[in-house]
């Protein structure tokens, strides 16, 4: 996703990583209760460089390196949130978040309910997700759909520099736990940050490209692939509307169904495995809410149901690609 453009007066070029760092820095400046904790977030600057320089600016009390103990430091973050702080907890990758799943599910997502509304947990947990970087199976899976299954938490997937820049502030204002999934392939992506945007919502999906023949519904690291596929399809006379879900829980059904109402066909692109996926959930909701709008069966483009391979050609073959999205659209409009 290289969309870097010259400054226009209302926008400026930046990267997804830099936009995330700006959001973190702003949060730290505006609220002394905010602190960042996680593995290598301090001296190393974050395993993907998102927090580079923040230790030097804000000091070790607010940029805290933690031991390699996901359950321990996520639990500490939940405790700090219960105590009135606004912690931002970074987990290196979604694969390692499984070591903290008990803390996230049985504590963060549950305490408000179990305390009769007395104990909110305003913790923000960020983590990298996704494949495409030859990091092997244990660093490359897309498990955000598992978390989107859990009531009591909000699940975000910023895919643009504007969302990367502004979603954190909205997440910190939420009284309940918020999980932010940052696709690893996006950190170096360039884009134009709209300086007229001062805040974003955490409720709605966004139409990133208008179209009339088919709705391509996706999120996170698959958004640039969907947009590339839409561009290819336009050369064939097929007009694809691209919907960026942005928020994976709660899902914005209204925007999805409105798009289906315009195009009458749907292709869902989800880097997770097909079985039990977000793609399956969205397909089911379309069937429940917009069945009579459909002119063709819903298509899904997901990853092959294997551990993500290390070898580049095998990894590429296992993941959704613009060409496989184009093929799925051709099938649904034929």
């Amino acid at each position: 996703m290289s969309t870097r453009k010259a400054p226009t007066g209302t926008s400026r070029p930046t990267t997804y990583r830099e936009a995330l760092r700006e959001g973190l820095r702003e949060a730290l400046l505006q609220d002394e209760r905010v602190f960042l904790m996680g593995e290598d977030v301090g001296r190393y600057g974050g395993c993907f460089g998102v927090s580079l320089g923040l230790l030097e600016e804000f000091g070790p009390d607010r940029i805290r390196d933690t031991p390699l103990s996901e359950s321990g430091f996520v639990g500490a973050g939940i405790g700090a949130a219960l105590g009135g702080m606004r912690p931002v907890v970074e987990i290196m990758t979604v694969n390692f978040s499984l070591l903290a799943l008990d803390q996230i599910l049985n504590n963060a997502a549950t305490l408000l309910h179990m305390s009769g509304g007395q104990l909110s947990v305003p913790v923000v947990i960020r983590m990298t997700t996704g494949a495409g970087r030859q990091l092997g199976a244990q660093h490359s899976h897309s498990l955000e759909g598992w978390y989107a299954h859990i009531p009591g938490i909000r699940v975000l997937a910023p895919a643009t520099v504007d969302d990367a820049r502004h979603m954190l502030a909205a997440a910190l204002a939420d009284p309940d736990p918020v999980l932010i999934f940052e696709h690893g392939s996006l950190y170096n992506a360039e884009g134009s940050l709209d300086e007229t945007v001062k805040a974003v919502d955490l409720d709605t999906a966004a139409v990133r490209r208008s179209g009339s023949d088919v709705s391509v519904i996706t999120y996170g690291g698959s958004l640039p692939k969907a947009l590339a596929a839409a561009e290819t399809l336009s050369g064939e006379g097929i007009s694809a509307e691209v919907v960026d879900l942005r928020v994976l829980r709660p899902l914005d059904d209204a925007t999805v169904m409105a798009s289906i109402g315009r195009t009458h066909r749907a292709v869902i692109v989800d880097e997770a495995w097909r079985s039990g996926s977000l793609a399956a959930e969205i397909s089911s909701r379309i069937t429940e809410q917009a069945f009579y709008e459909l002119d063709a069966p819903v298509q899904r483009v997901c990853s092959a149901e294997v551990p993500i391979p290390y070898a580049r050609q095998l990894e590429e073959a296992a993941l959704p690609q613009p060409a496989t999205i184009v093929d799925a659209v051709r099938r649904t409009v034929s």
Side-chain angles (χ1 to χ4, degrees):
M1 184 177 67
S2 181
T3 56
R4 176 165 288 205
K5 301 175 183 175
T8 63
T10 58
S11 67
R12 59 181 166 83
T14 190
T15 67
Y16 185 89
R17 176 187 290 106
E18 291 164 350
L20 288 168
R21 187 183 304 130
E22 283 187 39
L24 272 170
R25 185 172 182 274
E26 180 185 68
L28 289 158
L29 286 170
Q30 291 189 346
D31 189 341
E32 64 181 14
R33 298 173 301 169
V34 174
F35 68 96
L36 173 68
M37 64 190 304
E39 297 158 349
D40 290 332
V41 300
R43 293 180 181 176
Y44 191 68
C47 55
F48 295 96
V50 172
S51 54
L52 192 66
L54 296 182
L55 173 65
E56 291 75 9
E57 183 173 0
F58 294 98
D61 286 345
R62 301 187 70 194
I63 309 296
R64 291 174 172 259
D65 281 319
T66 67
L68 301 177
S69 176
E70 284 77 5
S71 182
F73 66 75
V74 170
I78 293 169
L82 287 166
M85 301 296 284
R86 291 292 182 271
V88 179
V89 180
E90 179 178 306
I91 300 177
M92 194 174 292
T93 81
V94 66
N95 302 269
F96 306 142
S97 75
L98 303 183
L99 297 165
L101 187 54
D102 178 60
Q103 296 284 7
I104 296 170
L105 171 59
N106 285 324
N107 289 324
T110 308
L111 285 176
L112 182 67
H113 170 78
M114 296 189 69
S115 67
Q118 298 180 77
L119 300 176
S120 61
V121 186
V123 64
V124 175
I125 302 174
R126 302 173 38 243
M127 65 188 86
T128 305
T129 188
R133 296 159 293 145
Q134 275 196 283
L135 294 178
Q138 293 174 322
H139 295 70
S140 301
H141 290 138
S142 296
L143 306 179
E144 53 274 9
W146 294 11
Y147 290 99
H149 177 69
I150 303 170
I153 59 176
R154 188 180 295 271
V155 179
L156 312 178
T160 67
V161 293
D162 288 324
D163 276 348
R165 170 65 179 83
H166 295 291
M167 273 187 164
L168 178 64
L172 285 166
D174 195 309
D176 298 316
V178 178
L179 272 58
I180 303 177
F181 289 89
E182 302 159 3
H183 196 285
S185 70
L186 295 178
Y187 285 122
N188 291 328
E190 300 172 338
S192 293
L193 185 67
D194 186 345
E195 295 194 295
T196 65
V197 174
K198 301 302 180 186
V200 297
D201 73 83
L202 301 185
D203 299 304
T204 61
V207 175
R208 300 299 186 193
R209 179 186 176 115
S210 297
S212 57
D213 294 327
V214 61
S215 299
V216 179
I217 302 159
T218 190
Y219 67 92
S222 294
L223 177 63
K225 296 177 180 179
L227 291 169
E231 187 63 27
T232 299
L233 290 161
S234 69
E236 302 176 13
I238 299 172
S239 175
E241 182 156 292
V242 178
V243 177
D244 173 12
L245 291 171
R246 300 180 64 247
V247 182
L248 307 185
R249 185 182 183 94
L251 285 169
D252 175 13
D253 290 356
T255 296
V256 172
M257 302 313 154
S259 182
I260 301 299
R262 289 188 291 271
T263 67
H264 307 289
R265 295 174 175 83
V267 173
I268 305 164
V269 183
D270 181 357
E271 192 179 299
W273 295 305
R274 183 184 182 94
S275 299
S277 61
L278 269 172
E281 175 65 24
I282 296 162
S283 178
S284 178
R285 293 188 185 204
I286 292 171
T287 303
E288 292 168 346
Q289 300 178 41
F291 180 77
Y292 292 105
E293 294 286 352
L294 292 172
D295 288 342
V298 175
Q299 297 277 334
R300 287 186 284 159
V301 181
C302 301
S303 287
E305 302 219 7
V306 296
I308 298 300
Y310 173 79
R312 177 167 296 282
Q313 66 274 28
L314 294 178
E315 183 181 39
E316 290 176 351
L319 299 173
Q321 300 293 350
T324 55
I325 300 168
V326 167
D327 287 345
V329 170
R330 286 172 180 155
R331 287 195 298 274
T332 198
V333 301
S334 64

